[in-house]
Amino acid sequence: MSQMKLKNCPNSSKRPATSPFAAAFTFVELLVIVGVLGLLLSLLIPTMSKSGLSSRAFQCLNNNRQLCNAWRMYADDSRDLIVYSSDDGTGATNPTNQYAWTWTHLDFNPGNRANWDITYDITLRPLWPYTGRNASIYRCPSDQSSVVIPGNGARLRVRSMSMNVYLGGFAGTDGGWPFITPYRIYLKTTDLTSPGPAKTFVFLDQRFDAINWGNILVSMAGYNPPNPAAYEFEDLPGMYHDLGASFSFADGHTELHRWTDPRTMPPIPLGQVSNGYPIPSPRNADIAWLQDHATRPK
């Protein structure tokens, strides 16, 4: 059957085989090809420009996953006790602070070695042995914030990741924040019954002008009883990845969550830390999402 089709296929060539133009294109055909290539290139450029962003987002998610795995392994080796999301600001005077995952209070002061020297804090804290001693997983690759050290140039800051404040709180306490007091501070993984491990975030990448203590403080104002008009930010999340942030959750999974409200993503001022908290943001759906994935009432 195939031979018959081949035999009966008409010869589409109209030029003699000896013609020097047999395999050539006409000028019009070349113009068409150039136009098509130009169109394809115009379609590919935006995709190519986003590929770097997607690559960095993937790396950030991977860093987040490794850090969360370290968090989980620490609990496995510590009778289910989790590290605290933050110290309480009193340093070594409170021995309980030794169980905080970091004491790093970031700013842009070159005299604050915690900004740029991992041996000043990161390597001394309880998660470090579980991270494979890999300092890079504490940072989002899109975060290029640095501190200029006189005589030594710019040094990248050590951390982009922050922990959900309701995981251990301020060395096991609510830190005196009235909007935290009515809500659960989880001290063990078995405490995470509501909203559950799959819905409780552990780490996220935080924007460099907002990160300071080891925690990201999600204000629960307006959550219970529901009052969206009372929504506010006490800390702003990251927005490096297509206007979203990477999250890890207590069950070990990670995801990229994109923000929908421009108030969650105000312009970033260079070389300074954001001030003016709390920032009212009534009826902000992004705050509702953060609250839903942070904690529950006691």
Side-chain angles (χ1 to χ4, degrees), residues 108-112 115-117 144-157:
F108 289 91
N109 177 11
N112 177 10
N115 281 317
W116 49 271
D117 184 355
Q144 295 297 305
S145 63
S146 61
V147 177
V148 178
I149 312 300
N152 287 310
R155 300 281 296 274
L156 289 174
R157 297 199 301 175

Short mmCIF file of all heavy atoms in Angstrom, two decimals, residues 108-112 115-117 144-157:
data_model
loop_
_atom_site.label_atom_id
_atom_site.label_comp_id
_atom_site.label_asym_id
_atom_site.label_seq_id
_atom_site.Cartn_x
_atom_site.Cartn_y
_atom_site.Cartn_z
N PHE A 108 21.11 47.29 58.72
CA PHE A 108 22.15 47.63 57.75
C PHE A 108 23.36 48.28 58.41
O PHE A 108 24.13 48.99 57.77
CB PHE A 108 21.57 48.53 56.65
CG PHE A 108 20.62 47.81 55.73
CD1 PHE A 108 19.26 47.77 56.00
CD2 PHE A 108 21.08 47.12 54.63
CE1 PHE A 108 18.38 47.10 55.18
CE2 PHE A 108 20.22 46.43 53.80
CZ PHE A 108 18.86 46.42 54.07
N ASN A 109 23.53 47.99 59.69
CA ASN A 109 24.65 48.53 60.45
C ASN A 109 25.87 47.63 60.27
O ASN A 109 25.84 46.46 60.69
CB ASN A 109 24.26 48.62 61.93
CG ASN A 109 25.40 49.09 62.81
OD1 ASN A 109 26.44 49.55 62.32
ND2 ASN A 109 25.21 48.98 64.12
N PRO A 110 26.96 48.12 59.67
CA PRO A 110 28.14 47.27 59.48
C PRO A 110 28.78 46.84 60.79
O PRO A 110 29.51 45.84 60.83
CB PRO A 110 29.09 48.15 58.67
CG PRO A 110 28.63 49.55 58.92
CD PRO A 110 27.15 49.47 59.11
N GLY A 111 28.49 47.56 61.87
CA GLY A 111 29.02 47.17 63.17
C GLY A 111 28.28 45.99 63.78
O GLY A 111 28.76 45.41 64.77
N ASN A 112 27.14 45.63 63.21
CA ASN A 112 26.37 44.47 63.67
C ASN A 112 26.84 43.25 62.90
O ASN A 112 26.40 42.99 61.79
CB ASN A 112 24.88 44.73 63.45
CG ASN A 112 24.02 43.54 63.84
OD1 ASN A 112 24.49 42.57 64.45
ND2 ASN A 112 22.74 43.59 63.48
N ASN A 115 24.79 40.64 60.87
CA ASN A 115 24.32 40.90 59.51
C ASN A 115 25.08 40.07 58.47
O ASN A 115 24.49 39.62 57.49
CB ASN A 115 24.50 42.37 59.15
CG ASN A 115 23.42 43.25 59.73
OD1 ASN A 115 22.25 42.91 59.68
ND2 ASN A 115 23.80 44.41 60.27
N TRP A 116 26.38 39.89 58.69
CA TRP A 116 27.21 39.34 57.61
C TRP A 116 28.13 38.19 58.02
O TRP A 116 28.74 37.56 57.16
CB TRP A 116 28.07 40.46 57.01
CG TRP A 116 28.80 41.30 58.02
CD1 TRP A 116 28.35 42.43 58.64
CD2 TRP A 116 30.11 41.07 58.56
NE1 TRP A 116 29.28 42.92 59.52
CE2 TRP A 116 30.39 42.12 59.48
CE3 TRP A 116 31.09 40.10 58.33
CZ2 TRP A 116 31.57 42.21 60.19
CZ3 TRP A 116 32.29 40.18 59.03
CH2 TRP A 116 32.53 41.23 59.95
N ASP A 117 28.22 37.88 59.31
CA ASP A 117 29.14 36.85 59.79
C ASP A 117 28.33 35.68 60.36
O ASP A 117 27.73 35.79 61.43
CB ASP A 117 30.06 37.45 60.87
CG ASP A 117 31.11 36.46 61.35
OD1 ASP A 117 31.10 35.29 60.92
OD2 ASP A 117 31.96 36.88 62.18
N GLN A 144 19.70 40.19 47.36
CA GLN A 144 21.09 40.61 47.22
C GLN A 144 21.42 41.75 48.18
O GLN A 144 22.36 42.51 47.95
CB GLN A 144 21.36 41.04 45.77
CG GLN A 144 21.25 39.90 44.77
CD GLN A 144 22.29 38.81 45.02
OE1 GLN A 144 23.49 39.07 45.09
NE2 GLN A 144 21.81 37.57 45.18
N SER A 145 20.66 41.87 49.26
CA SER A 145 20.93 42.94 50.22
C SER A 145 22.28 42.71 50.89
O SER A 145 22.66 41.58 51.19
CB SER A 145 19.82 43.01 51.27
OG SER A 145 19.75 41.82 52.03
N SER A 146 22.98 43.78 51.13
CA SER A 146 24.33 43.68 51.66
C SER A 146 24.60 44.80 52.66
O SER A 146 23.83 45.76 52.77
CB SER A 146 25.36 43.74 50.52
OG SER A 146 25.26 44.97 49.83
N VAL A 147 25.70 44.64 53.37
CA VAL A 147 26.18 45.65 54.31
C VAL A 147 27.59 46.02 53.89
O VAL A 147 28.41 45.14 53.59
CB VAL A 147 26.19 45.10 55.75
CG1 VAL A 147 26.75 46.13 56.71
CG2 VAL A 147 24.78 44.70 56.17
N VAL A 148 27.88 47.30 53.81
CA VAL A 148 29.20 47.76 53.41
C VAL A 148 30.09 47.85 54.64
O VAL A 148 29.84 48.63 55.56
CB VAL A 148 29.11 49.13 52.70
CG1 VAL A 148 30.51 49.61 52.33
CG2 VAL A 148 28.23 49.03 51.46
N ILE A 149 31.14 47.03 54.66
CA ILE A 149 32.08 46.99 55.77
C ILE A 149 33.26 47.89 55.42
O ILE A 149 33.92 47.67 54.40
CB ILE A 149 32.59 45.56 56.02
CG1 ILE A 149 31.43 44.57 56.06
CG2 ILE A 149 33.42 45.51 57.30
CD1 ILE A 149 30.43 44.84 57.13
N PRO A 150 33.53 48.91 56.20
CA PRO A 150 34.65 49.81 55.89
C PRO A 150 35.96 49.02 55.73
O PRO A 150 36.35 48.24 56.60
CB PRO A 150 34.72 50.73 57.12
CG PRO A 150 33.33 50.74 57.66
CD PRO A 150 32.79 49.36 57.41
N GLY A 151 36.58 49.20 54.58
CA GLY A 151 37.83 48.52 54.29
C GLY A 151 37.67 47.13 53.73
O GLY A 151 38.64 46.54 53.25
N ASN A 152 36.46 46.57 53.75
CA ASN A 152 36.23 45.21 53.25
C ASN A 152 35.14 45.12 52.19
O ASN A 152 34.83 44.04 51.71
CB ASN A 152 35.86 44.28 54.41
CG ASN A 152 37.06 43.95 55.28
OD1 ASN A 152 38.11 43.57 54.78
ND2 ASN A 152 36.92 44.12 56.58
N GLY A 153 34.55 46.24 51.83
CA GLY A 153 33.53 46.25 50.80
C GLY A 153 32.20 45.70 51.27
O GLY A 153 31.94 45.57 52.47
N ALA A 154 31.36 45.34 50.30
CA ALA A 154 30.00 44.88 50.59
C ALA A 154 30.01 43.39 50.94
O ALA A 154 30.69 42.60 50.29
CB ALA A 154 29.09 45.15 49.41
N ARG A 155 29.23 43.04 51.95
CA ARG A 155 29.05 41.64 52.34
C ARG A 155 27.56 41.33 52.34
O ARG A 155 26.76 42.08 52.91
CB ARG A 155 29.62 41.40 53.74
CG ARG A 155 31.11 41.70 53.89
CD ARG A 155 31.95 40.58 53.32
NE ARG A 155 31.78 39.35 54.05
CZ ARG A 155 32.48 39.02 55.15
NH1 ARG A 155 33.35 39.87 55.66
NH2 ARG A 155 32.30 37.85 55.74
N LEU A 156 27.19 40.24 51.67
CA LEU A 156 25.79 39.82 51.67
C LEU A 156 25.33 39.52 53.08
O LEU A 156 26.06 38.96 53.90
CB LEU A 156 25.60 38.58 50.79
CG LEU A 156 25.71 38.77 49.28
CD1 LEU A 156 25.63 37.41 48.59
CD2 LEU A 156 24.64 39.70 48.75
N ARG A 157 24.11 39.87 53.37
CA ARG A 157 23.55 39.55 54.68
C ARG A 157 23.25 38.05 54.76
O ARG A 157 23.04 37.39 53.74
CB ARG A 157 22.30 40.38 54.95
CG ARG A 157 22.62 41.88 55.01
CD ARG A 157 21.54 42.67 55.72
NE ARG A 157 20.24 42.53 55.08
CZ ARG A 157 19.11 43.06 55.58
NH1 ARG A 157 19.14 43.75 56.71
NH2 ARG A 157 17.98 42.91 54.94
#
